[in-house]
Amino acid sequence: MQRLADFAPGSGSGLEQLDAPLADVMRDTGASAGLLYLLPPGERVLQLTVISGVSQQIAAPWARVTVGAPLPAADAVRQRRMVWLSSQEQVARCYPQLALVLPYEFMLAAAPVSCGTSVWGALVLLWPIWHPPQLSSCERDALDRCCECEGVLLQQAAGQGQPLLPADQPRVLAPLRSGRMVSGEAPAAFDFAERLPQGCCALDLDGRVTFINTAAGDLLGAGVGALLGSRPWESLPWLHNPLLEDRYRAAVVSRRPTSFTMLRPPDQWLHFQLHPDDSGISIQITPVPAEDAKPTMPWQHAPSAPEVGATALYHLTHLAAGLTQAIGADDVVELACDQIVPAFGPHALALLTPEEGRLHVAGAFGFSAELTEIFDSQRLASDTPAVRALHTGDPGFYATFADLKRTYPPAIHKDELPACAVLPLIASGHTVGTLILGYDRPRPFPAPERAILASLAGLLAQALDRARLYDIKHQLARTLQTGLLPHALPTIPGLDAAARYLPAGHGSDIGGDFYDLIPCGEASAAAAIGDVQGHDITAAALMGQVRIAVHAHAIACTPPGETLARTNRLLIDLDAGLFTSCLYAHLDLAHHRACLATAGHPPPLVRRPDGHTEILHMPPGLLLGIDPDAAYPTTEIPLPPGALLALYTDGLIEAPGTDIGDATADLVTCLAHAPHQAIDALADTLLDHCTAPPRQDDIALLLLQATGPHKAIRNAGPRE
């Protein structure tokens, strides 16, 4: 067993130093597969960096995982805890997108790779289903030790100015072998296999034939030399069928034996038995008399054309499931860049959309900056492959650059990518963009691949079209909401104020949060903060009406309780069907007092001049819009110079899985420990302490500090 000190990085060390801890934890826990993700500093995407026990082809859909994705590795990083999935049923229940693409039996653990307060990535381990339903204490210790070792390595490397960053392709560790080869065994093993009447062959974890005996070649109808190094379902036309590839994937992921029966044209039935371990799969092939054959699927006949492989279908399913969760156009572009390149084989990708008479690059990956700039400047009146696909709706497949040059003579070879596909993105009968895929070697684009790429483009087009409609609606609602909030706080002598407004994380609609600060004479002011129920244009519009009503009562110097009561009756008269929380405070700066009333709003925080901070417990009042006769009792507190009031909406303290009482207590502690900050910096400190993307609700924050009669500083404004 290696110690933590054994993994200290040396001068000039690279990603290979991450291999040993992963190999150790797989040996110590008996895991069948391991994936190590890195989270580069300042980024929000986990990148697959080291892999063992499973092929890159199978892991391709998860080569890049956004921190906000509904996947175990992302949850482990966001929540800083281990995620344990003990059954296929639990995988399907907790992560349906993962279960769609890996519909096999396995167990999974995902844990954050961290050091101190920094999270550097995630570790994912898989076990066969016969593993006990819980990790043992020794296995948990081994997993924790690996995450700690990897975290220390990454942090130390970054501290030395040599951060370990993910490569374009993950490192693939050689399988751990339980046995040993004795001198002379290899020829004996070969002779043994050659003497068997049954066919036998071996596949590596990538599905390629590493050994095959003569009997197997005869049964499959191909020479041994033609099959070595190939994937059977790619080299034999009659095996161009998702069945064999799917059974191979099942064996690799679940580490369970599996079998199937298929017809080799014209009349030879063959039974395949697959026996997997950590290094690959052994396959036994046995002829079956026609009268005894039990085909695994009823449609096993020789196809007239090559079929689409199971892996491609699973990748397409994975992309489709991901696109259902994409909200805005940026989400669609991010998914396209993260999933299409690793899963479907292109070396580069560019997604172009029409705007103001030109094609613009909405997202790109892998193309040179010069070529991306060319893509971004094409006029819609020009004759280029991308514009042509946009206008005609016809795809272009160019196996070599010479093919592209024949179709489009002005083409100049700006990079080293010889092949490309140019696909129109068609949704609801109209073209919404163009997808360009570049390949690093000549590519013939057979009919099945063209069909897959056409399906891929169709999925992207529908998601992009839907996302753009959402973006338009969202921007309209956001403009309405922000237009109803104050652009700056008024100057009020004796009061120092700061306001912040943060919209919810991307993927959420707008909210009805609002705040206001209103002068009420030479030495008094009113402050209000509230949250209208709902997240749509109706909520934003009602928020404006509530704020105007409160503002009008404040100017008239209506007492806090009466202000809320009158606003409550207004909401009931409007019959909007929405409820509103609101906290209203009248500040008497001459006499250093504050009078407050609440309508179901989170309680304010008070920090005394000596730094003592507490929650201000107030008599409860009903939400506005429920009972026309509701009363709103008031609370009066001293507000001497130096005292501070913190008013906020529930988005600051509410988060999934977090107790609201604990979150409020943490906010109190944060406010108490920052007594010497200027109020503007203090507002940012509170937001940074309590918010971590993705936020699920809007946040409004209003800080008010009594300063005496001669000082007044105004700091206001939204912060994205």
Side-chain angles (χ1 to χ4, degrees):
M1 180 64 61
Q2 289 178 287
R3 300 165 303 162
L4 179 59
D6 296 334
F7 298 114
S11 176
S13 58
L15 292 172
E16 65 276 0
Q17 65 186 301
L18 303 176
D19 299 352
L22 179 59
D24 279 354
V25 73
M26 292 185 64
R27 182 192 64 236
D28 295 341
T29 63
S32 56
L35 300 90
L36 178 66
Y37 288 88
L38 295 191
L39 182 63
E43 295 191 16
R44 303 291 297 171
V45 177
L46 291 160
Q47 298 185 41
L48 184 57
T49 304
V50 187
I51 185 172
S52 179
V54 69
S55 71
Q56 285 183 253
Q57 191 179 34
I58 291 178
W62 304 281
R64 290 169 56 86
V65 174
T66 59
V67 173
L71 290 168
D75 282 353
V77 168
R78 284 200 318 274
Q79 301 169 15
R80 299 201 176 193
R81 66 175 182 86
M82 188 190 78
V83 175
W84 171 247
L85 303 172
S86 61
S87 66
Q88 186 178 12
E89 178 185 351
Q90 191 178 10
V91 174
R93 185 172 63 251
C94 299
Y95 301 98
Q97 183 177 343
L98 177 62
L100 274 175
V101 187
L102 289 179
Y104 315 119
E105 292 184 321
F106 60 89
M107 296 181 177
L108 180 147
V113 172
S114 60
C115 184
T117 59
S118 300
V119 177
W120 295 93
L123 173 68
V124 178
L125 298 178
L126 275 67
W127 287 266
I129 198 65
W130 56 78
H131 183 280
Q134 297 296 330
L135 291 176
S136 68
S137 59
C138 292
E139 291 170 335
R140 286 291 299 264
D141 290 344
L143 195 151
D144 292 342
R145 187 166 52 250
C146 176
C147 291
E148 181 185 3
C149 291
E150 304 283 25
V152 168
L153 287 172
L154 292 161
Q155 183 145 314
Q156 288 181 351
Q160 295 173 1
Q162 297 176 332
L164 301 180
L165 301 177
D168 291 338
Q169 297 292 330
R171 294 174 55 78
V172 180
L173 299 189
L176 300 173
R177 298 184 181 274
S178 57
R180 62 185 183 87
M181 182 70 71
V182 178
S183 177
E185 274 190 351
F190 178 83
D191 292 340
F192 168 80
E194 280 295 295
R195 287 190 291 267
L196 292 176
Q198 300 92 357
C200 59
C201 66
L203 307 183
D204 62 16
L205 293 175
D206 199 35
R208 298 186 183 278
V209 176
T210 57
F211 170 81
I212 182 168
N213 69 353
T214 302
D218 293 341
L219 289 171
L220 296 175
V224 170
L227 292 172
L228 280 173
S230 70
R231 297 185 180 97
W233 53 88
E234 294 176 350
S235 58
L236 296 173
W238 63 278
L239 283 178
H240 283 185
N241 188 299
L243 177 64
L244 173 56
E245 190 178 356
D246 181 66
R247 293 305 168 91
Y248 144 74
R249 286 165 53 91
V252 170
V253 174
S254 68
R255 293 294 196 270
R256 300 186 73 172
T258 185
S259 63
F260 60 94
T261 300
M262 286 187 63
L263 175 66
R264 175 196 152 194
D267 56 8
Q268 177 64 71
W269 288 95
L270 299 175
H271 185 63
F272 296 79
Q273 294 175 286
L274 283 66
H275 301 274
D277 72 359
D278 293 343
S279 62
I281 301 174
S282 296
I283 301 180
Q284 183 177 357
I285 308 170
T286 308
V288 181
E291 59 273 17
D292 297 332
K294 296 180 180 180
T296 303
M297 299 186 71
W299 42 267
Q300 299 302 330
H301 302 290
S304 58
E307 299 285 344
V308 173
T311 296
L313 293 175
Y314 280 126
H315 288 176
L316 200 61
T317 301
H318 180 71
L319 179 64
L323 288 172
T324 62
Q325 300 171 354
I327 303 298
D330 289 345
D331 291 340
V332 176
V333 172
E334 184 177 28
L335 274 167
C337 292
D338 287 347
Q339 293 190 18
I340 292 176
V341 170
F344 293 91
H347 181 80
L349 170 152
L351 199 157
L352 314 179
T353 56
E355 184 180 342
E356 298 179 351
R358 293 180 179 272
L359 277 179
H360 292 277
V361 175
F365 181 89
F367 284 115
S368 66
E370 183 181 8
L371 193 55
T372 302
E373 187 176 349
I374 292 175
F375 291 156
D376 199 43
S377 61
Q378 301 175 67
R379 297 180 61 85
L380 295 183
S382 62
D383 183 22
T384 67
V387 173
R388 190 178 302 173
L390 184 75
H391 289 326
T392 66
D394 296 327
F397 298 98
Y398 308 99
T400 64
F401 180 74
D403 292 340
L404 176 62
K405 188 76 171 176
R406 281 193 295 270
T407 305
Y408 180 62
I412 300 174
H413 206 181
K414 291 288 186 180
D415 54 25
E416 300 302 321
L417 302 179
C420 69
V422 183
L423 306 165
L425 302 178
I426 302 173
S428 302
H430 65 280
T431 310
V432 298
T434 304
L435 178 67
I436 301 178
L437 303 176
Y439 297 83
D440 59 357
R441 62 189 62 187
R443 198 173 188 93
F445 295 110
E449 184 175 13
R450 294 188 182 204
I452 281 288
L453 293 179
S455 298
L456 185 155
L459 289 173
L460 277 179
Q462 293 174 24
L464 188 62
D465 194 43
R466 185 174 63 248
R468 293 168 93 181
L469 290 175
Y470 170 84
D471 285 343
I472 292 171
K473 173 188 172 185
H474 189 78
Q475 183 58 40
L476 174 64
R478 179 66 67 198
T479 301
L480 172 62
Q481 183 186 33
T482 54
L484 294 172
L485 292 173
H487 296 290
L489 298 183
T491 298
I492 300 174
L495 189 67
D496 188 358
R500 292 289 184 272
Y501 169 77
L502 273 75
H506 193 62
S508 301
D509 249 319
I510 68 164
D513 294 25
F514 68 92
Y515 62 87
D516 206 353
L517 180 63
I518 309 110
C520 299
E522 294 184 0
S524 65
I529 193 163
D531 185 0
V532 177
Q533 175 194 27
H535 293 81
D536 53 22
I537 294 178
T538 302
L542 186 61
M543 175 270 284
Q545 293 174 302
V546 172
R547 178 178 167 244
I548 290 170
V550 171
H551 196 103
H553 289 304
I555 292 176
C557 296
T558 306
E562 185 62 24
T563 294
L564 293 183
R566 293 181 181 181
T567 305
N568 174 52
R569 288 192 288 273
L570 171 66
L571 259 65
I572 292 175
D573 290 341
L574 291 173
D575 194 23
L578 300 176
F579 306 136
T580 301
S581 72
C582 186
L583 179 73
Y584 182 86
H586 181 267
L587 311 176
D588 185 346
L589 302 173
H591 299 91
H592 309 299
R593 309 288 297 174
C595 186
L596 304 94
T598 182
H601 199 78
L605 308 184
V606 180
R607 193 179 70 188
R608 311 297 180 189
D610 61 1
H612 176 72
T613 306
E614 61 184 350
I615 300 171
L616 180 60
H617 296 287
M618 302 171 57
L622 279 178
L623 292 168
L624 304 178
I626 296 179
D627 180 2
D629 299 321
Y632 298 92
T634 59
T635 299
E636 188 169 322
I637 62 169
L639 194 69
L644 181 141
L645 274 174
L647 315 182
Y648 54 92
T649 55
D650 54 10
L652 190 67
I653 54 174
E654 288 187 351
T658 302
D659 180 80
I660 193 169
D662 293 341
T664 306
D666 288 342
L667 184 62
V668 169
T669 301
C670 180
L671 182 59
H673 289 170
H676 302 299
Q677 286 186 303
I679 196 167
D680 190 54
L682 179 59
D684 291 337
T685 297
L686 295 180
L687 290 178
D688 293 340
H689 174 77
C690 297
T691 61
R695 294 184 302 276
Q696 297 190 354
D697 199 359
D698 289 18
I699 296 172
L701 174 66
L702 181 59
L703 300 183
L704 307 166
Q705 186 169 32
T707 61
H710 301 296
K711 182 181 178 184
I713 302 174
R714 301 291 149 254
N715 295 287
R719 194 184 93 177
E720 298 295 338

